[in-house]
Amino acid sequence: MPPSEAAPFSAAVVGAGAAGLSAALALARAGIRTALVGRHAPVADGRTVALLDGSVRFLDALGAWDALKPHAAPLAELHIVDDTGSLFRPPPARFRADEIGLSAFGWNVESARLVEGLRAEARGAENLTLVERDASGFAAGEAAARLTLEDGAGLDARLVVGADGGRSRLRAASGLRVRDWSYPQGAVTTILAHDRPHRDVSTEFHTRAGPFTLVPLPGGHRSSLVWVSGEMAARRLSELDDPALALAVERQARGMLGAMRIDGPRGLVPMRGLSVADPVAHRLALIGEAAHVFPPIGAQGLNLGLRDAAALRDAVLAAIRDGRDPGARGALAGFARARRLDATLRTAAVDALNRSLLTAFLPVDALRGAGLLAMTTIGPLRRAVMREGVLPRLNAPELMRGR
């Protein structure tokens, strides 16, 4: 039956990336008749995602984690090294997951593999219809919203979920207020092989140009790279041939993992940020990068998007159980408040860290160094920060709390 002839879906998720796929699966697994609209086109750019503990619990609840786990590496420790040359440089900080009762803070997996794993689950999910076409238009009506597809067909849903990325058409059509900004930096991403084992340790060097991060991948001798640098420097790095780039990475890492070679695709990621004043409009909820864009720092972007998806499932399910319209703003008011707070706090933290590295102003260096030293030496503070990092305690979505 063509979408235009079907009865309205309870929800239609637009966007077939990780956030959209997880939202559609979560809604469908809850018995909610859902459509997933969008083409499936993962980009091979050497990017990985460090899935924090709450995100892993969510993926497990969706049935996707068992197939992904063999392709993911645990992040048992996080080391932070101040490489800014500051007079207030603190000693390296080490954070261990077993201090807070976890075997790992999270697991690192290639982004394209994550999308493929979620897509495999979506293909066989009950209550989920895959519409492998892009949406070209959106109009919110009294009883339902109408999505116009690229071939001219229409699809009606009581709630439309915008998971269509940082350049979201749905967000633009909604009229929601947006704030966006950019940084004078770029991020080089790729996969590395190295002589020495990483021992499940993620290492982040804080440099004057931005963070330089090596994150473990399976096998013990492979890691992913996110190297944030000035725009021109990042472009020059991205244009190096494989042996030259591997040598530059090895030197920047101080030989920590021995000799290196490039072992996967690479990408050059712009450093930008975006936030919306409100993630909800009439018959529309925004999640993932449609609602917030982060630079690739601190593993916050996709983990926040997955929390959006899990929290939206809770809100829609509660509305339907109470006999309310899931597309009404009132039904999504709690979701909107919680997501605004979470996104605002994470945005402020990532922005403050990045900007503090770019300035040589001594009071800023002293404040950053003192904060890192406090987390290193004060056990209760360190453990509280670690717990909040893996999953916020306040308003944690049901499927992220574990079984």
Side-chain angles (χ1 to χ4, degrees):
M1 180 184 299
S4 59
E5 298 175 17
F9 288 91
S10 294
V13 180
V14 178
L21 280 160
S22 61
L25 270 170
L27 292 166
R29 295 271 196 246
I32 297 165
R33 186 166 177 263
T34 304
L36 176 63
V37 180
R39 295 183 182 277
H40 176 55
V43 178
D45 60 1
R47 296 185 72 173
T48 65
V49 57
L51 296 164
L52 300 177
D53 183 64
S55 296
V56 170
R57 292 171 186 250
F58 181 41
L59 294 172
D60 187 40
L62 298 182
W65 182 241
D66 283 348
L68 287 169
K69 187 174 180 179
H71 306 287
L75 309 181
E77 293 187 35
L78 170 62
H79 294 179
I80 299 178
V81 180
D82 190 315
D83 198 19
T84 61
S86 167
L87 292 174
F88 297 97
R89 183 171 54 202
R94 293 174 171 83
F95 303 90
R96 295 172 44 143
D98 58 12
E99 278 195 75
I100 55 173
L102 298 175
S103 62
F105 292 116
W107 297 71
N108 194 38
V109 64
E110 293 182 47
S111 299
R113 191 177 289 278
L114 170 62
V115 172
E116 290 287 357
L118 287 167
R119 189 69 173 184
E121 284 298 313
R123 288 192 185 101
E126 294 183 9
N127 304 308
L128 182 57
T129 300
L130 303 186
V131 182
E132 300 195 39
R133 285 164 282 169
D134 289 331
S136 59
F138 164 78
E142 188 63 31
R146 165 60 62 98
L147 284 173
T148 303
L149 305 180
E150 60 186 351
D151 59 1
L155 185 150
D156 296 333
R158 298 171 73 190
L159 171 67
V160 171
V161 181
D164 52 340
R167 312 291 181 188
S168 171
R169 290 183 178 182
L170 292 179
R171 186 185 64 230
S174 72
L176 290 169
R177 288 190 297 116
V178 175
R179 181 173 73 93
D180 60 357
W181 62 96
S182 61
Y183 301 91
Q185 299 160 290
V188 175
T189 59
T190 193
I191 307 295
L192 303 162
H194 39 79
D195 285 353
R196 296 176 187 162
H198 53 58
R199 304 186 190 281
D200 299 333
V201 175
S202 179
T203 304
E204 185 171 294
F205 291 85
H206 288 173
T207 80
R208 277 288 174 229
F212 168 93
T213 309
L214 296 167
V215 190
L217 282 170
H221 290 266
R222 296 177 78 238
S223 296
S224 60
L225 168 75
V226 179
W227 188 349
V228 177
S229 190
E231 286 179 287
M232 294 305 295
R235 185 165 296 281
R236 285 194 296 270
L237 285 167
S238 72
E239 292 171 351
L240 294 175
D241 61 24
D242 283 358
L245 177 59
L247 182 60
V249 173
E250 183 182 331
R251 288 173 173 168
Q252 184 66 41
R254 303 178 181 179
M256 178 184 70
L257 295 176
M260 293 186 170
R261 64 181 175 85
I262 306 302
D263 195 36
R266 61 167 84 174
L268 178 61
V269 182
M271 294 283 288
R272 58 186 289 261
L274 178 146
S275 64
V276 293
D278 191 337
V280 169
H282 182 52
R283 303 216 171 274
L284 177 67
L286 300 179
I287 67 170
E289 290 198 340
H292 39 72
V293 174
F294 286 80
I297 295 174
Q300 292 303 314
L302 182 58
N303 284 286
L304 186 61
L306 294 178
R307 285 202 296 280
D308 293 342
L312 183 67
R313 173 260 186 198
D314 291 353
V316 172
L317 185 57
I320 290 175
R321 283 174 173 170
D322 293 345
R324 293 177 292 153
D325 182 348
R329 290 193 67 137
L332 298 172
F335 164 83
R337 284 193 301 271
R339 303 320 306 141
R340 275 197 305 270
L341 177 61
D342 196 3
T344 298
L345 292 175
R346 305 288 157 167
T347 298
V350 170
D351 185 72
L353 170 61
N354 192 42
R355 293 187 189 278
S356 74
L357 294 174
L358 296 178
T359 179
F361 190 45
L362 286 180
V364 174
D365 276 350
L367 185 61
R368 187 185 65 250
L372 194 57
L373 186 60
M375 285 191 289
T376 303
T377 57
I378 303 173
L381 174 63
R382 181 175 63 254
R383 289 187 286 275
V385 170
M386 288 191 290
R387 290 190 187 98
E388 182 66 18
V390 296
L391 179 64
R393 293 288 182 95
L394 184 65
N395 295 322
E398 181 181 348
L399 297 184
M400 289 191 163
R401 299 176 203 151
R403 296 174 181 173

